[in-house]
PDB file of all heavy atoms in Angstrom:
ATOM      1  N   GLU V 134     -19.412  -3.841  25.987  1.00 95.00           N
ATOM      2  CA  GLU V 134     -17.995  -3.815  25.591  1.00 95.00           C
ATOM      3  C   GLU V 134     -17.795  -4.523  24.253  1.00 95.00           C
ATOM      4  O   GLU V 134     -17.086  -4.031  23.376  1.00 95.00           O
ATOM      5  CB  GLU V 134     -17.142  -4.476  26.674  1.00 95.00           C
ATOM      6  CG  GLU V 134     -15.664  -4.378  26.424  1.00 95.00           C
ATOM      7  CD  GLU V 134     -14.845  -4.974  27.560  1.00 95.00           C
ATOM      8  OE1 GLU V 134     -15.321  -5.000  28.699  1.00 95.00           O
ATOM      9  OE2 GLU V 134     -13.716  -5.425  27.274  1.00 95.00           O
ATOM     10  N   ARG V 135     -18.457  -5.668  24.089  1.00 96.00           N
ATOM     11  CA  ARG V 135     -18.344  -6.404  22.826  1.00 96.00           C
ATOM     12  C   ARG V 135     -18.885  -5.583  21.661  1.00 96.00           C
ATOM     13  O   ARG V 135     -18.311  -5.588  20.577  1.00 96.00           O
ATOM     14  CB  ARG V 135     -19.095  -7.736  22.913  1.00 96.00           C
ATOM     15  CG  ARG V 135     -18.284  -8.882  23.450  1.00 96.00           C
ATOM     16  CD  ARG V 135     -18.958 -10.226  23.220  1.00 96.00           C
ATOM     17  NE  ARG V 135     -20.337 -10.284  23.667  1.00 96.00           N
ATOM     18  CZ  ARG V 135     -20.735 -10.532  24.911  1.00 96.00           C
ATOM     19  NH1 ARG V 135     -19.829 -10.718  25.848  1.00 96.00           N
ATOM     20  NH2 ARG V 135     -22.012 -10.581  25.226  1.00 96.00           N
ATOM     21  N   SER V 136     -19.996  -4.880  21.874  1.00 95.00           N
ATOM     22  CA  SER V 136     -20.552  -4.093  20.775  1.00 95.00           C
ATOM     23  C   SER V 136     -19.613  -2.952  20.393  1.00 95.00           C
ATOM     24  O   SER V 136     -19.508  -2.601  19.222  1.00 95.00           O
ATOM     25  CB  SER V 136     -21.953  -3.575  21.114  1.00 95.00           C
ATOM     26  OG  SER V 136     -21.917  -2.675  22.181  1.00 95.00           O
ATOM     27  N   GLY V 137     -18.889  -2.393  21.362  1.00 93.00           N
ATOM     28  CA  GLY V 137     -17.889  -1.372  21.052  1.00 93.00           C
ATOM     29  C   GLY V 137     -16.734  -1.941  20.253  1.00 93.00           C
ATOM     30  O   GLY V 137     -16.268  -1.332  19.279  1.00 93.00           O
ATOM     31  N   GLU V 138     -16.272  -3.114  20.655  1.00 94.00           N
ATOM     32  CA  GLU V 138     -15.185  -3.768  19.921  1.00 94.00           C
ATOM     33  C   GLU V 138     -15.627  -4.126  18.502  1.00 94.00           C
ATOM     34  O   GLU V 138     -14.862  -3.969  17.550  1.00 94.00           O
ATOM     35  CB  GLU V 138     -14.734  -5.022  20.666  1.00 94.00           C
ATOM     36  CG  GLU V 138     -13.989  -4.719  21.947  1.00 94.00           C
ATOM     37  CD  GLU V 138     -13.720  -5.958  22.786  1.00 94.00           C
ATOM     38  OE1 GLU V 138     -14.180  -7.070  22.428  1.00 94.00           O
ATOM     39  OE2 GLU V 138     -13.046  -5.802  23.819  1.00 94.00           O
ATOM     40  N   GLU V 139     -16.865  -4.597  18.362  1.00 93.00           N
ATOM     41  CA  GLU V 139     -17.399  -4.924  17.036  1.00 93.00           C
ATOM     42  C   GLU V 139     -17.431  -3.700  16.131  1.00 93.00           C
ATOM     43  O   GLU V 139     -17.082  -3.772  14.958  1.00 93.00           O
ATOM     44  CB  GLU V 139     -18.829  -5.463  17.160  1.00 93.00           C
ATOM     45  CG  GLU V 139     -18.949  -6.937  17.203  1.00 93.00           C
ATOM     46  CD  GLU V 139     -20.407  -7.372  17.324  1.00 93.00           C
ATOM     47  OE1 GLU V 139     -21.299  -6.747  16.701  1.00 93.00           O
ATOM     48  OE2 GLU V 139     -20.643  -8.347  18.043  1.00 93.00           O
ATOM     49  N   MET V 140     -17.890  -2.577  16.690  1.00 92.00           N
ATOM     50  CA  MET V 140     -17.971  -1.345  15.911  1.00 92.00           C
ATOM     51  C   MET V 140     -16.584  -0.947  15.413  1.00 92.00           C
ATOM     52  O   MET V 140     -16.404  -0.617  14.241  1.00 92.00           O
ATOM     53  CB  MET V 140     -18.578  -0.224  16.759  1.00 92.00           C
ATOM     54  CG  MET V 140     -18.787   1.096  16.021  1.00 92.00           C
ATOM     55  SD  MET V 140     -17.419   2.271  16.021  1.00 92.00           S
ATOM     56  CE  MET V 140     -17.227   2.666  17.727  1.00 92.00           C
ATOM     57  N   ILE V 141     -15.606  -1.009  16.271  1.00 91.00           N
ATOM     58  CA  ILE V 141     -14.242  -0.639  15.877  1.00 91.00           C
ATOM     59  C   ILE V 141     -13.704  -1.615  14.838  1.00 91.00           C
ATOM     60  O   ILE V 141     -13.134  -1.201  13.822  1.00 91.00           O
ATOM     61  CB  ILE V 141     -13.323  -0.570  17.111  1.00 91.00           C
ATOM     62  CG1 ILE V 141     -13.716   0.643  17.956  1.00 91.00           C
ATOM     63  CG2 ILE V 141     -11.853  -0.498  16.695  1.00 91.00           C
ATOM     64  CD1 ILE V 141     -13.026   0.730  19.294  1.00 91.00           C
ATOM     65  N   ASN V 142     -13.896  -2.911  15.079  1.00 90.00           N
ATOM     66  CA  ASN V 142     -13.410  -3.904  14.120  1.00 90.00           C
ATOM     67  C   ASN V 142     -14.089  -3.745  12.760  1.00 90.00           C
ATOM     68  O   ASN V 142     -13.432  -3.855  11.717  1.00 90.00           O
ATOM     69  CB  ASN V 142     -13.632  -5.321  14.661  1.00 90.00           C
ATOM     70  CG  ASN V 142     -12.716  -5.640  15.812  1.00 90.00           C
ATOM     71  OD1 ASN V 142     -11.673  -5.014  16.002  1.00 90.00           O
ATOM     72  ND2 ASN V 142     -13.119  -6.607  16.622  1.00 90.00           N
ATOM     73  N   ASN V 143     -15.386  -3.489  12.753  1.00 89.00           N
ATOM     74  CA  ASN V 143     -16.102  -3.297  11.487  1.00 89.00           C
ATOM     75  C   ASN V 143     -15.617  -2.064  10.759  1.00 89.00           C
ATOM     76  O   ASN V 143     -15.392  -2.085   9.549  1.00 89.00           O
ATOM     77  CB  ASN V 143     -17.608  -3.212  11.716  1.00 89.00           C
ATOM     78  CG  ASN V 143     -18.212  -4.513  12.124  1.00 89.00           C
ATOM     79  OD1 ASN V 143     -17.630  -5.581  11.925  1.00 89.00           O
ATOM     80  ND2 ASN V 143     -19.388  -4.462  12.720  1.00 89.00           N
ATOM     81  N   LEU V 144     -15.454  -0.992  11.490  1.00 87.00           N
ATOM     82  CA  LEU V 144     -15.019   0.261  10.886  1.00 87.00           C
ATOM     83  C   LEU V 144     -13.593   0.144  10.326  1.00 87.00           C
ATOM     84  O   LEU V 144     -13.342   0.511   9.190  1.00 87.00           O
ATOM     85  CB  LEU V 144     -15.099   1.393  11.915  1.00 87.00           C
ATOM     86  CG  LEU V 144     -14.967   2.817  11.409  1.00 87.00           C
ATOM     87  CD1 LEU V 144     -16.070   3.112  10.400  1.00 87.00           C
ATOM     88  CD2 LEU V 144     -15.059   3.790  12.571  1.00 87.00           C
ATOM     89  N   VAL V 145     -12.713  -0.407  11.113  1.00 85.00           N
ATOM     90  CA  VAL V 145     -11.329  -0.559  10.659  1.00 85.00           C
ATOM     91  C   VAL V 145     -11.258  -1.601   9.533  1.00 85.00           C
ATOM     92  O   VAL V 145     -10.531  -1.414   8.566  1.00 85.00           O
ATOM     93  CB  VAL V 145     -10.412  -0.958  11.843  1.00 85.00           C
ATOM     94  CG1 VAL V 145      -9.020  -1.360  11.369  1.00 85.00           C
ATOM     95  CG2 VAL V 145     -10.315   0.199  12.842  1.00 85.00           C
TER      96      VAL V 145
END
Side-chain angles (χ1 to χ4, degrees):
E134 186 177 333
R135 272 193 309 276
S136 65
E138 289 172 356
E139 265 180 38
M140 183 271 297
I141 290 172
N142 289 339
N143 290 341
L144 192 59
V145 170

